[in-house]
Amino acid sequence: MEAMMSGFGDMGKTMMCAQEDSFDETRGGTHSLADQVARFAKAKKDNNARYLDITTVYDGSSLKGKRVLVTGGEQNLGLELMKEIASVIPGIDVTKDEAMATLVAGVAEPVDMVINNAGYFYGPAESVGAGENEGHLNFAQELLMIDICSVGPLRVSSALFKAGKIKEKVIIITSQAGSRRWRLTQNPPGSLDTSNPFTGNYGHHMSRASCNIMGVILSQELKPANVSVQLAHPASAARR
Ligand SMILES: NC(=O)c1ccc[n+]([C@@H]2O[C@H](COP(=O)([O-])OP(=O)(O)OC[C@H]3O[C@@H](n4cnc5c(N)ncnc54)[C@H](OP(=O)(O)O)[C@@H]3O)[C@@H](O)[C@H]2O)c1
């Protein structure tokens, strides 16, 4: 795979499944469990290689020779996605409309696929809070997360598509954190407390819910052009 990377700053600075209870894998269905802690425990119990060691079931040979543009490719998941970096397009901030012309100009030949990986997670847990448990909400950070994680992939993908620079596929690295069912499964009513790292985090979850419906709409719009749109949840990995 020949990869291009767009970045931010100086250097350039499993699929989401709509789940029904009757379809999850504890009931013989094919959809993964919404509860990721239970999902991992079950995978260990079943010695399920699909979850425990993706390399035993994944064949990446179809990517051989493909040109791929990855946003946010300087670290962690984005960096891991690229074995070979062909070129870097510096200075691409996915929140900036004006950066899209630079991005499009930097992609000389159309790419086979775009992987929208750039993302941002505001650290402090957000919650409304009441009484003794004073909450913390940061609306500016919430809007920033929505801009980077939801509007960003649309901004990038639409600019490249309209310029005729995407041949096959748009992949959006999103999160099951945008799923209402996941939220209610992982954080059932009454479970919220400030020691729970999943407490609140309004901006993160709102940004991914918005991202997920954006991806569905984008897939409808690009389908006639034979460009598919795929939403991917990368599971949980330590952030920087
Ligand atoms: N890690 C997890 O457990 C997890 C779970 C679910 C979903 N995800 C999603 O998977 C993706 C990768 O996760 P990760 O943990 O590898 O993320 P990460 O370590 O936070 O890396 C995100 C990348 O996005 C770039 N970025 C941030 N804001 C940007 C902007 N405005 N314009 C362009 N690039 C920008 C960052 O560059 P700078 O450092 O220069 O800002 C960085 O290279 C993210 O979209 C994340 O939301 C991760």
Side-chain angles (χ1 to χ4, degrees), residues 145-160:
M145 280 183 273
I146 291 170
D147 204 359
I148 293 174
C149 298
S150 178
V151 184
L154 179 60
R155 195 177 271 118
V156 165
S157 305
S158 64
L160 290 168

Side-chain angles (χ1 to χ4, degrees), residues 9-66:
D10 288 347
M11 165 115 174
K13 217 185 140 3
T14 347
M15 193 100 58
M16 297 290 295
C17 294
Q19 292 188 335
E20 295 299 334
D21 285 337
S22 57
F23 288 163
D24 79 40
E25 58 199 345
T26 60
R27 297 169 177 82
T30 54
H31 293 172
S32 56
L33 289 168
D35 184 331
Q36 62 184 347
V37 176
R39 188 167 69 222
F40 186 58
K42 183 173 189 314
K44 283 206 289 192
K45 180 168 159 278
D46 297 347
N47 197 24
N48 185 336
R50 178 168 163 256
Y51 291 94
L52 301 179
D53 183 2
I54 190 72
T55 60
T56 60
V57 291
Y58 174 70
D59 176 7
S61 59
S62 63
L63 290 172
K64 198 169 169 56
K66 300 281 187 187

Side-chain angles (χ1 to χ4, degrees), residues 162-191:
K162 283 202 279 192
K165 298 280 173 86
I166 308 176
K167 291 202 276 193
E168 289 176 16
K169 188 180 278 192
V170 172
I171 293 176
I172 301 169
I173 310 291
T174 176
S175 176
Q176 66 177 18
S179 153
R180 178 183 149 278
R181 175 170 296 267
W182 174 80
R183 180 73 202 183
L184 293 175
T185 302
Q186 203 81 56
N187 303 94
S191 71

